[in-house]
């Protein structure tokens, strides 16, 4: 699914209690992203690898609480955002398209066959 170029986040909420990033989008959707899943999916070269090099993060990686605590989000141009984590890690750029594809709200999970 390609995201129309005029669809972008209009606001961010860091839900400290549920440890989730909540994003309100210009098309009316409200997406949810668990901190840990977001951190595990970090697309930076160090975490995800690059050019055939294995990254340092995979499905088995155990994170500290600090590493999965979202400190803030920084907007990157008009296409994505960078989460700043409690341990200072901030090199992953999550495109809007990627964020929408990994949204964990019920509405998005059901068609993907995921269950909570
Ligand atoms: Zn990373
Ligand atoms: Zn959703």
């Amino acid at each position: 699914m390609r995201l129309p170029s005029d669809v972008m986040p209009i606001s961010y909420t860091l839900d400290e209690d549920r440890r989730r990033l909540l994003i309100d989008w210009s098309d009316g959707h409200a997406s949810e992203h668990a901190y840990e899943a977001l951190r595990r999916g970090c697309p930076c070269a160090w975490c995800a690898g690059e050019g055939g090099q294995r990254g340092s993060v995979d499905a088995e990686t155990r994170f500290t609480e600090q590493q999965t605590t979202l400190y803030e989000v920084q907007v990157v141009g008009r296409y994505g955002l960078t989460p700043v984590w409690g341990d200072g890690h901030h090199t992953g750029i999550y495109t809007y398209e990627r964020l929408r594809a990994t949204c964990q709200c019920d509405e998005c999970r059901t068609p993907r066959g995921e269950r909570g």
Side-chain angles (χ1 to χ4, degrees):
M1 184 191 78
R2 238 191 114 61
L3 193 65
S5 61
D6 60 343
V7 174
M8 53 184 62
I10 50 177
S11 74
Y12 307 96
T13 306
L14 272 56
D15 184 338
E16 304 288 340
D17 294 333
R18 293 167 66 220
R19 296 176 59 78
R20 280 171 180 257
L21 169 64
L22 311 176
I23 304 174
D24 286 321
W25 296 81
S26 57
D27 65 348
H29 195 74
S31 67
E32 296 188 20
H33 307 272
Y35 287 177
E36 184 164 339
L38 206 57
R39 177 68 199 250
R40 194 176 300 282
C42 179
C44 83
W46 189 80
C47 294
E50 192 179 46
Q53 271 317 85
R54 267 177 66 90
S56 54
V57 172
D58 60 26
E60 307 293 305
T61 303
R62 292 197 178 275
F63 293 109
T64 63
E65 187 173 335
Q66 205 181 32
Q67 286 176 310
T68 55
T69 296
L70 192 53
Y71 175 66
E72 65 175 358
V73 290
Q74 294 174 345
V75 174
V76 181
R78 296 171 61 85
Y79 65 94
L81 58 87
T82 292
V84 180
W85 299 100
D87 64 339
H89 192 69
H90 66 274
T91 41
I93 298 173
Y94 297 64
T95 63
Y96 295 155
E97 199 157 347
R98 178 191 181 92
L99 287 165
R100 286 293 289 257
T102 57
C103 173
Q104 295 179 313
C105 82
D106 290 344
E107 197 184 314
C108 292
R109 274 154 48 122
T110 305
R112 291 202 300 259
E114 295 173 20
R115 293 278 177 266

